[in-house]
Amino acid sequence: MKVKLVFGLASLVLLVSISFILLMKIKRSETIDYNPSQDYHYTFDNANSVKLELSNGKLILPKNLGRDKTVFLKVKIKSTFLGNFFYPHIEIKSKNQSVLDFFEYGGSGNRYLNISSLLLEETLEIELVNKYLEILEPSVELIYFSNSIHSGSKIMVISPHPDDAEISAFGLYSKFPNSFVLTLTAGENGPMHYDELFSDSLRHFLKKGQIRTINSISVPLHSGLNQNNIINLGYFDGTIKQMHDENPINVISQTLGTDFIGTFRNFNISNLKDSLKGSSNWDSMIENLEFVLKSYKPDIIVLPHPHMDNHSDHQFSTIGVIQALKKMNYKNGELFFYANHNLGSEFFPFGNAGGTVSLPPNFIDGYHFNSVYSHPLTQEEQMEKVLALDAMNDLRPDTEWRFWDKLLKLSYENFKAYIKGQDNSYFRRGIRSNELFFVVPINDLYDESHLTELLMGKSIVP
């Protein structure tokens, strides 16, 4: 009898365990919009490449690599069984440092390891230590771009919403105190993040827009930027595509029911604020973009990729910048593209905070870029970025944490998201050992074939 009972309990535990494993696999597959066994596909027209051979997990690098290069290793991987439930990753070690490169659950096929930060020292040999995956072929391809940013470069970061500049490029713009942060919207939409404080929705979203606008102005000050190089144009969250499509009609805030552009714009402290004109329509936004671009004359413009980033505000912010540049006949400098909302998975970069950002999932031809730039962040710089994101009110926990019962619920939801592999926090995704940008010369905007490839069918005019 006891034997049957033990056997029955063991069978039940086994059944529950198998069901749990299958459930987690299904749930984790929801974090990506593609088959994780597909090869990542990139065409590098302007990169240098070298074929190398792995031997016992070790790789001898070419002697002429040196600094000021962004370097990837193309490898073919296959996740192990456990790689369906824990992030498969490779620890890449040099003599004095190491980086972690994470992949999606069950990831298999061609992938790209970012080893750029290891080359900040004299590195001739690296070691690859696999976890929850295996490297299928000893032959790997080393792909590298020679790039650097001049110390006197004027960098303008375009932020569709408050916090986009910090998520994508806080480490970059912090190193250049003459940088400019230009935010387009107040970010008043989204969840009722402060409903425990403001039950009235109109008051809530007005306060949310005010707080986020002030965040977009104040946080860059922590990095040493001049107050005159920080401005928020005060357009309404979630309406940039609508402004484009319905031009020249004024759009109305989706949560506040007003088209008064001064609602949030009036919080600016830059000496440029009194020269901002117009109303809540596309033509007005283009004119304001022209004015700020002419005033600052950037060498590098950091902005969302118009196709790799799947958020419509991000895509059409960039379309607006391109239209303004072409109206100005502005041709000097470079565009540094980022994607805070990756097209293939909102959960990219994968894995834990502190890991490296490598090339994102891509499976189609046609992305136009001249090079890739990986900007390294030290541990101290990552800590500064944590503080910058923490100063963005909307990235903090919901105000329900003030009540013990809701705090328990919040803790449970966070734990459940962690178990499912669905932690979407920018403190996980944004705090990394580097920031990654796809680089395109501004002059390429005047080549119709390059522009078509960049926009992937989107128009730059209404």
Side-chain angles (χ1 to χ4, degrees):
M1 185 70 178
K2 288 184 178 180
V3 173
K4 288 183 178 180
L5 180 61
V6 171
F7 180 77
L9 288 173
S11 299
L12 180 62
V13 169
L14 179 62
L15 179 62
V16 170
S17 299
I18 292 172
S19 300
F20 178 78
I21 288 172
L22 290 175
L23 177 62
M24 290 302 99
K25 185 171 182 179
I26 291 169
K27 287 295 184 182
R28 283 178 166 171
S29 70
E30 294 173 357
T31 65
I32 57 175
D33 297 322
Y34 57 88
N35 181 345
S37 296
Q38 287 179 275
D39 290 338
Y40 285 15
H41 178 71
Y42 283 92
T43 301
F44 303 103
D45 293 330
N46 299 301
N48 300 288
S49 65
V50 179
K51 295 290 186 181
L52 301 174
E53 292 290 323
L54 272 170
S55 178
N56 296 320
K58 295 184 178 180
L59 201 63
I60 304 298
L61 302 178
K63 293 182 179 179
N64 61 344
L65 274 181
R67 296 169 177 258
D68 296 332
K69 288 183 176 64
T70 293
V71 186
F72 301 99
L73 283 178
K74 182 179 180 181
V75 298
K76 183 174 283 292
I77 68 166
K78 182 180 180 180
S79 291
T80 63
F81 174 74
L82 289 177
N84 291 292
F85 313 104
F86 303 95
Y87 275 118
H89 61 274
I90 298 176
E91 182 180 10
I92 311 155
K93 299 180 177 181
S94 65
K95 184 178 180 180
N96 297 313
Q97 57 183 324
S98 67
V99 295
L100 292 174
D101 215 323
F102 292 91
F103 309 100
E104 62 274 81
Y105 296 111
S108 298
N110 289 334
R111 297 294 187 269
Y112 296 87
L113 309 179
N114 187 347
I115 65 169
S116 308
S117 60
L118 298 182
L119 302 179
L120 297 178
E121 62 179 31
E122 289 283 339
T123 301
L124 294 178
E125 181 181 271
I126 59 174
E127 181 181 6
L128 277 56
V129 181
N130 308 331
K131 191 73 171 178
Y132 310 124
L133 63 83
E134 55 181 315
I135 297 177
L136 296 180
E137 299 173 1
S139 294
V140 301
E141 184 179 5
L142 185 141
I143 300 161
Y144 63 95
F145 301 91
S146 297
N147 48 26
S148 60
I149 301 177
H150 188 271
S151 60
S153 294
K154 298 173 69 177
I155 297 175
M156 174 179 283
V157 184
I158 305 293
S159 181
H161 310 103
D163 68 33
D164 282 317
E166 285 66 38
I167 293 165
S168 63
F170 182 81
L172 176 63
Y173 81 66
S174 295
K175 284 189 177 176
F176 295 84
N178 194 34
S179 294
F180 196 112
V181 173
L182 171 63
T183 306
L184 271 62
T185 74
E188 77 277 14
N189 287 0
M192 292 278 286
H193 202 66
Y194 315 107
D195 56 325
E196 289 80 19
L197 304 179
F198 305 100
S199 57
D200 176 72
S201 63
L202 184 63
R203 188 181 177 200
H204 172 277
F205 289 113
L206 178 62
K207 178 59 67 174
K208 183 173 183 175
Q210 291 171 348
I211 291 171
R212 296 196 72 193
T213 300
I214 293 169
N215 286 162
S216 72
I217 296 166
S218 62
V219 172
L221 293 173
H222 294 299
S223 70
L225 266 62
N226 187 299
Q227 68 176 42
N228 294 316
N229 284 8
I230 309 165
I231 205 157
N232 188 314
L233 296 183
Y235 291 100
F236 302 123
D237 190 3
T239 66
I240 298 182
K241 182 179 186 298
Q242 182 185 353
M243 287 197 296
H244 174 275
D245 294 346
E246 298 180 5
N247 189 52
I249 298 171
N250 284 359
V251 303
I252 296 172
S253 169
Q254 297 168 356
T255 51
L256 300 179
T258 181
D259 68 351
F260 177 52
I261 201 67
T263 302
F264 302 112
R265 183 177 285 184
N266 290 337
F267 285 96
N268 283 299
I269 57 176
S270 169
N271 58 12
L272 300 177
K273 64 184 176 63
D274 294 331
S275 298
L276 298 176
K277 307 295 181 185
S279 52
S280 59
N281 62 56
W282 183 260
D283 286 341
S284 169
M285 190 184 80
I286 299 303
E287 289 172 7
N288 282 288
L289 285 170
E290 284 187 79
F291 166 70
V292 178
L293 287 165
K294 286 177 181 176
S295 299
Y296 183 66
K297 299 181 179 63
D299 302 305
I300 294 171
I301 303 174
V302 182
L303 69 175
H305 196 287
H307 187 74
M308 286 186 182
D309 195 308
N310 68 8
H311 194 300
S312 64
D313 271 356
H314 290 222
Q315 294 170 345
F316 283 84
S317 292
T318 292
I319 289 170
V321 172
I322 291 173
Q323 185 174 330
L325 289 169
K326 295 194 74 174
K327 280 185 67 178
M328 297 163 56
N329 199 35
Y330 198 102
K331 296 184 177 181
N332 296 323
E334 294 177 309
L335 304 172
F336 276 35
F337 289 108
Y338 65 84
N340 284 350
H341 302 273
N342 179 260
L343 186 65
S345 175
E346 184 72 21
F347 294 84
F348 180 84
F350 304 113
N352 302 327
T356 189
V357 183
S358 195
L359 296 179
N362 179 50
F363 311 101
I364 62 174
D365 291 313
Y367 281 140
H368 172 66
F369 58 90
N370 189 65
S371 65
V372 182
Y373 174 64
S374 180
H375 182 75
L377 273 66
T378 65
Q379 285 288 338
E380 184 174 345
E381 289 164 346
Q382 291 176 55
M383 287 160 50
E384 290 294 328
K385 189 168 182 177
V386 169
L387 295 176
L389 297 191
D390 187 61
M392 291 287 177
N393 290 68
D394 223 48
L395 297 184
R396 297 175 185 170
D398 190 298
T399 50
E400 64 185 12
W401 66 267
R402 297 170 58 248
F403 307 92
W404 74 267
D405 55 333
K406 293 183 178 180
L407 178 60
L408 289 176
K409 175 190 170 186
L410 183 64
S411 300
Y412 170 71
E413 292 296 331
N414 288 338
F415 176 72
K416 187 168 68 172
Y418 173 76
I419 291 295
K420 290 180 178 179
Q422 295 178 335
D423 174 12
N424 203 20
S425 163
Y426 283 114
F427 289 92
R428 179 190 68 78
R429 292 191 285 150
I431 308 302
R432 297 281 164 160
S433 60
N434 67 305
E435 295 166 339
L436 194 77
F437 308 97
F438 289 88
V439 181
V440 174
I442 293 175
N443 195 52
D444 280 7
L445 301 179
Y446 299 86
D447 182 313
E448 285 304 316
S449 63
H450 289 334
L451 185 59
T452 300
E453 290 174 353
L454 180 63
L455 296 178
M456 300 294 285
K458 294 182 179 68
S459 171
I460 65 168
V461 293

